[in-house]
Amino acid sequence: MKRHLRVFKYGVVFLDFVPNSWPRHSPKPRSVAAGAGAQITFDSRFLPIVTHDSLRTCSGGILGFSVYFDVPLLFFQLWIVVEKKRGIESMKGKSTGKVSAEWIPIFSICFFFFGMLFTNKFWVPLQSNNQLITQHRRDQELQVVSEDGTTKNKKTEDQDKDVMNEVYRTHKAIQSLDKSISMLQMELSASRSAQNKGKIDKLPLSSDKEPLRKKAFMVIGINTAFSSRKRRDSVRETWMPQGEQLRKMEQEKGIVVRFMIGHSATSNSILDRALDSEEAQHKDFLRLEHVEGYHELSAKTKTFFATAVSTWDADFYVKVDDDVHVNLGALAANLARHRSKPRVYMGCMKSGPVLAQKNVKYHEPEYWKFGEEGNKYFRHATGQIYAISKDLATYISINQPILHKYANEDVSLGSWFIGLEVEHIDDRNMCCGTPPDCEWKAQAGNVCIASFDWSCSGICKSVENIKFVHEQCGEGDDALWNALI
């Protein structure tokens, strides 16, 4: 095929296709006609071939571009227009001007490279702008996707938080229900146990014919003996309220404090009569159905909890020795934090050695039950002071006939809770030393709950020294009444 360019009145150029095979007698046109509407034909060896394909090499071969936005062709068209005008002027001047065939490839090449230069300067930025627009669209799409993902993540996080809050509330509800069921079971068992023992007749009855127990927050039993009158007086003069203050503390704070003691082996002995006289004066005793004796502390502890549970309906029951200094406000505030928990066992936890040697203090006759010689006891609270919740006190009250007693009272108490779902709380503020230890802690704002000397298993010479400990480590008169319970 041959290519023809037609130039119309306004210089518009387009391609026209003619057969490749010209008649033999027809000459091959190589020049440009100079009139408007004239047909201009070039040989394919000299004219850049313009097709609808992308870059291709022509037979005879000058490179051509796509017909769309072909800048070299544009400049070539402009040149054709110029030549047309020159032809018109030549016709008006009655002269016949022709463009030499040798200049055609030169002009073609010049216009081609000039168009290439123009294209590189103006076409590339257009492509760059298109790329920037495309990149911007992609960024916007990514941003939308990212925002959607972030929104979904936030929704997922909010849902997770809601689920965790719901799980926490469910756990608290189950824990509270567990405590309620446990307390009801313990109270029912305690009531049946009291009826079987005939204790029901000793208690005032309500209209429902059930034992009427006084409601309290905590019941504190101070372990004492017949020979410890001076110790009791020293406690009354320091940290234990007396008279109307003792009754007010029970009514307003729900805190009951009593010296717990049994009776002598001989009925109505002089020891019992002396104790009756002291009770009439101070009204701060809890009398137990127990025969007093140092080696019967485990049995006395069981009896105390059983008696306290049958007399007061308290959240906590506390045992403390009469040679230990106690800050009641700090103790009440600390126990209040664990009020919602079932089966709490709190004190200074320890695990001392099992002493198999005879004639030593704290000898353990049943040492063989704890394995090889040199083994240690299980974790248990030290005997100077500890607290247990209502569930555990009721458990002791119900099962006291079958609870085994070891030689040491604190070991016995710890053994009774083995195998139960009990939370052991190790609170070192319940075993502070005497001044300067408790004094430094009080100055730092960390008031001790209880203070004593480890070397004496209580305050050494407590009758003489407990007042000094109270002055240096006491919480103040208003701490108890301001305590949040």
Side-chain angles (χ1 to χ4, degrees):
M1 296 287 291
K2 297 286 184 169
R3 283 74 175 177
H4 296 268
L5 290 177
R6 293 187 180 274
V7 182
F8 286 88
K9 183 176 181 180
Y10 298 100
V12 178
V13 181
F14 69 97
L15 290 176
D16 189 14
F17 294 90
V18 296
N20 269 329
S21 58
W22 285 80
R24 291 180 178 270
H25 60 274
S26 300
K28 293 182 180 180
R30 291 181 178 271
S31 60
V32 179
Q39 178 175 312
I40 306 170
T41 306
F42 296 97
D43 188 38
S44 61
R45 290 175 298 175
F46 302 105
L47 178 65
I49 303 302
V50 182
T51 67
H52 289 281
D53 300 327
S54 59
L55 293 174
R56 57 181 296 186
T57 304
C58 306
S59 58
I62 302 175
L63 290 176
F65 288 92
S66 171
V67 72
Y68 301 106
F69 305 108
D70 193 355
V71 177
L73 183 59
L74 175 63
F75 282 99
F76 184 68
Q77 291 173 352
L78 293 176
W79 178 76
I80 293 295
V81 171
V82 172
E83 289 298 322
K84 180 197 71 171
K85 290 182 179 181
R86 288 179 59 191
I88 294 172
E89 292 175 357
S90 299
M91 292 177 65
K92 288 181 179 181
K94 296 182 179 182
S95 62
T96 57
K98 293 184 180 181
V99 178
S100 175
E102 287 81 3
W103 286 97
I104 292 176
I106 297 174
F107 280 116
S108 298
I109 294 173
C110 292
F111 283 124
F112 176 78
F113 285 106
F114 183 76
M116 287 294 294
L117 180 63
F118 181 84
T119 303
N120 291 334
K121 287 185 177 181
F122 294 97
W123 180 249
V124 173
L126 292 176
Q127 291 180 340
S128 299
N129 291 335
N130 291 335
Q131 292 177 355
L132 291 175
I133 293 172
T134 304
Q135 184 65 30
H136 182 66
R137 289 178 179 174
R138 290 179 181 174
D139 293 340
Q140 288 180 339
E141 293 175 357
L142 291 175
Q143 184 177 2
V144 171
V145 173
S146 177
E147 290 176 355
D148 292 341
T150 304
T151 304
K152 292 180 180 178
N153 290 335
K154 288 182 178 179
K155 291 181 179 179
T156 304
E157 291 177 359
D158 293 339
Q159 292 176 355
D160 292 342
K161 289 181 180 179
D162 293 339
V163 171
M164 291 303 297
N165 291 334
E166 189 66 27
V167 170
Y168 176 76
R169 287 193 294 268
T170 304
H171 175 71
K172 295 296 288 185
I174 293 174
Q175 192 179 51
S176 177
L177 182 62
D178 181 32
K179 182 179 180 180
S180 300
I181 294 173
S182 178
M183 287 191 297
L184 290 174
Q185 290 175 341
M186 292 294 184
E187 289 175 0
L188 179 61
S189 299
S191 178
R192 290 174 178 173
S193 177
Q195 289 177 359
N196 293 335
K197 293 181 181 180
K199 293 183 179 180
I200 191 69
D201 297 331
K202 298 182 181 180
L203 297 172
L205 299 179
S206 65
S207 58
D208 297 329
K209 306 299 181 181
E210 293 181 356
L212 182 61
R213 298 186 298 163
K214 297 178 182 179
K215 186 66 178 176
F217 170 62
M218 67 175 176
V219 175
I220 302 175
I222 305 175
N223 183 35
T224 189
F226 288 115
S227 59
S228 299
R229 173 65 188 263
K230 291 183 178 180
R231 283 189 177 183
R232 292 192 291 272
D233 288 339
S234 66
V235 170
R236 293 184 181 112
E237 293 171 359
T238 52
W239 61 268
M240 180 181 177
Q242 286 297 294
E244 289 301 321
Q245 292 293 314
L246 185 64
R247 307 295 175 260
K248 181 181 178 182
M249 181 176 65
E250 294 179 12
Q251 295 174 0
E252 295 184 5
K253 291 296 183 180
I255 300 175
V256 179
V257 183
R258 294 289 189 274
F259 289 105
M260 61 172 180
I261 193 168
H263 55 80
S264 64
T266 304
S267 177
N268 198 25
S269 67
I270 188 173
L271 296 175
D272 293 321
R273 292 196 299 270
L275 197 62
D276 292 339
S277 176
E278 186 179 352
E279 162 67 11
Q281 180 184 356
H282 296 285
K283 300 184 183 302
D284 55 5
F285 279 92
L286 177 64
R287 305 296 289 269
L288 307 177
E289 291 295 328
H290 168 75
V291 178
E292 283 294 321
Y294 178 78
H295 296 291
E296 295 296 328
L297 288 179
S298 295
K300 185 178 182 180
T301 300
K302 287 195 298 183
T303 305
F304 160 66
F305 285 122
T307 306
V309 167
S310 65
T311 309
W312 293 281
D313 179 17
D315 293 326
F316 294 97
Y317 298 85
V318 183
K319 178 262 177 182
V320 60
D321 290 339
D322 59 3
D323 56 354
V324 174
H325 179 269
V326 179
N327 284 316
L328 292 175
L331 175 61
N334 194 31
L335 289 177
R337 291 197 293 268
H338 306 285
R339 203 170 191 172
S340 62
K341 300 177 181 179
R343 297 177 297 279
V344 171
Y345 175 32
M346 184 166 61
C348 287
M349 298 295 165
K350 65 175 184 177
S351 182
V354 179
L355 301 177
Q357 300 85 359
K358 294 182 179 180
N359 301 324
V360 296
K361 192 175 182 179
Y362 307 123
H363 166 64
E364 179 57 70
E366 297 179 276
Y367 62 89
W368 58 273
K369 290 184 178 180
F370 299 92
E372 300 296 330
E373 184 176 354
N375 285 353
K376 292 184 177 182
Y377 289 112
F378 38 80
R379 298 293 282 181
H380 61 276
T382 185
Q384 285 81 0
I385 180 173
Y386 50 77
I388 60 175
S389 61
K390 177 195 297 186
D391 300 356
L392 298 181
T394 307
Y395 171 81
I396 294 173
S397 175
I398 296 169
N399 298 286
Q400 61 170 323
I402 59 174
L403 294 177
H404 184 71
K405 302 184 295 292
Y406 289 99
N408 299 299
E409 163 250 343
D410 53 355
V411 173
S412 297
L413 182 74
S415 70
W416 298 337
F417 302 146
I418 292 178
L420 302 181
E421 288 291 340
V422 176
E423 181 178 357
H424 291 62
I425 300 176
D426 184 16
D427 192 336
R428 310 314 293 182
N429 276 338
M430 297 181 72
C431 54
C432 296
T434 54
D437 180 41
C438 60
E439 182 180 6
W440 291 341
K441 292 180 179 179
Q443 291 175 356
N446 187 22
V447 178
C448 291
I449 296 174
S451 302
F452 56 89
D453 296 307
W454 283 101
S455 59
C456 299
S457 297
I459 298 176
C460 297
K461 298 181 181 181
S462 63
V463 175
E464 295 83 7
N465 295 325
I466 193 171
K467 186 175 182 179
F468 173 73
V469 175
H470 182 68
E471 292 174 352
Q472 301 300 318
C473 304
E475 61 188 354
D477 296 335
D478 296 333
L480 172 61
W481 307 106
N482 295 330
L484 298 177
I485 300 176

